Amino acid sequence: MKRLENKVAIITGGAGSIGQITARLFLEEGAKVMLVDLKEDALQKAADELGGQNVQYCAADVTKSEDVQRYVNDTVKAFGKVDVFFNNAGIEGVVKPITDYPEEMFDRVIAVNVKGAWLGVKYVLPQMNDRGSIINTSSVAGINGSPNVSAYITSKHAVVGIMRAVAVEAAPRKIRVNSVHPSPVDNRMMRSLEEGFAPGHAEAAKKELEKTIPLGRYAEPEEIAQLVLFLASDDSRFITGTTQVIDGGLSVM
Ligand SMILES: NC(=O)c1ccc[n+]([C@@H]2O[C@H](COP(=O)([O-])OP(=O)(O)OC[C@H]3O[C@@H](n4cnc5c(N)ncnc54)[C@H](O)[C@@H]3O)[C@@H](O)[C@H]2O)c1
């Protein structure tokens, strides 16, 4: 039997790197998947690439309550229920010391990464089957400090707070809630941050960052997806309220 046979999953940030690759894995494991992201054209492209009847999409801004309620309702209309919520949409903000960090960018990062994650749980939970699984994407930035990305660090720590609070609230229904904490992943978001750390020298910034990771490289998005699949499936049925670090050893340094 496939690991997500007959399960319905919502993936926010579903047109992005980690979201789309996780959707592919979920589909291979028998799930029906609702992709949620900002732009219709990116979602259409992602759904076309994934293919088949078991993937649908909903364009929504996770910071807006009415959009969140719409993506939950669309999922229930399309597939009848929700079993897995991969609460994953996020933005990196900019790279600047806190003294120069634009307040409006701080507000935007908190709106997407914290309020978006909170609203998602708030509206998914009532439509989720008992024994469901919620996986929130935090980061090593949700466990450790790092200079010049204060809004991102703050937001990813807050994701742990949402996870811990709801793990206790949802436990009577045997719904599990965990967070994943990747180190840098080899994709668009890191290209943007590398450029911010060392304008014009992104490749050199990447090499420096890789030196800080004991296993010597960034994560691949597929590796994050494998961890999310484990947390989504019954293989992790006694795991709730945890911070799952996936970082090549970065956070022990
Ligand atoms: N890339 C990394 O190195 C890394 C490391 C640790 C954690 N993360 C986290 O992983 C998650 C996925 O990021 P990714 O690496 O796939 O990057 P990505 O930029 O490819 O994907 C993020 C997706 O979220 C979507 N999104 C942004 N704002 C939204 C909004 N308001 N409403 C709906 N969708 C919105 C974007 O359109 C994008 O498709 C994020 O939460 C990110 O913070 C990434």
Side-chain angles (χ1 to χ4, degrees):
M1 176 140 158
K2 293 179 172 177
R3 291 161 80 187
L4 295 181
E5 195 77 57
N6 299 322
K7 303 283 187 192
V8 173
I10 298 175
I11 301 181
T12 68
S17 161
I18 295 171
Q20 191 179 340
I21 284 175
T22 305
R24 181 177 303 287
L25 198 55
F26 279 15
L27 289 162
E28 284 167 8
E29 291 292 341
K32 297 180 168 68
V33 175
M34 176 64 79
L35 303 174
V36 176
D37 211 299
L38 278 175
K39 294 199 175 124
E40 181 102 22
D41 51 351
L43 283 162
Q44 171 83 61
K45 187 166 173 281
D48 287 350
E49 279 168 20
L50 292 165
Q53 296 298 307
N54 287 341
V55 61
Q56 302 227 0
Y57 64 82
C58 177
D61 181 340
V62 300
T63 69
K64 294 186 177 149
S65 183
E66 60 277 15
D67 283 25
V68 174
Q69 291 173 68
R70 185 163 46 76
Y71 78 62
V72 176
N73 289 336
D74 282 7
T75 307
V76 174
K77 261 188 238 149
F79 299 129
K81 56 177 185 170
V82 184
D83 299 290
V84 175
F85 180 40
F86 184 28
N87 199 6
N88 168 71
I91 57 171
E92 65 274 24
V94 293
V95 179
K96 281 191 187 299
I98 191 166
T99 46
D100 298 333
Y101 205 98
E103 191 177 332
E104 57 280 10
M105 182 56 82
F106 176 84
D107 287 343
R108 184 68 193 156
V109 171
I110 298 298
V112 177
N113 296 3
V114 183
K115 190 174 180 195
W118 185 84
L119 283 172
V121 175
K122 177 177 171 61
Y123 289 110
V124 166
L125 211 42
Q127 300 295 340
M128 183 171 258
N129 280 328
D130 288 0
R131 304 186 180 277
S133 176
I134 298 175
I135 304 108
N136 292 328
T137 307
S138 178
S139 166
V140 285
I143 290 178
N144 295 334
S146 186
N148 303 328
V149 280
S150 56
Y152 190 70
I153 298 266
T154 304
S155 72
K156 291 300 185 182
H157 276 69
V159 168
V160 177
I162 297 170
M163 180 277 290
R164 288 196 172 125
V166 184
V168 181
E169 283 186 34
R173 293 178 53 205
K174 312 297 180 213
I175 289 173
R176 300 178 297 104
V177 192
N178 294 285
S179 53
V180 291
H181 298 261
S183 56
V185 178
D186 207 5
N187 65 17
R188 182 214 64 81
M189 188 174 282
M190 279 314 298
R191 297 297 90 77
S192 153
L193 287 167
E194 288 154 1
E195 189 57 35
F197 293 136
H201 301 93
E203 192 53 37
K206 181 181 182 195
K207 287 205 167 73
E208 283 309 305
L209 273 169
E210 281 177 335
K211 283 185 200 159
T212 68
I213 301 169
L215 290 183
R217 62 169 175 85
Y218 284 7
E220 295 298 331
E222 293 81 359
E223 292 166 331
I224 314 308
Q226 292 283 354
L227 175 60
V228 176
L229 170 64
F230 169 70
L231 292 170
S233 75
D234 286 345
D235 291 346
S236 60
R237 60 193 165 274
F238 204 55
I239 299 178
T240 195
T242 68
T243 50
Q244 298 281 328
V245 174
I246 173 162
D247 70 346
L250 174 62
S251 56
V252 297
M253 297 286 280

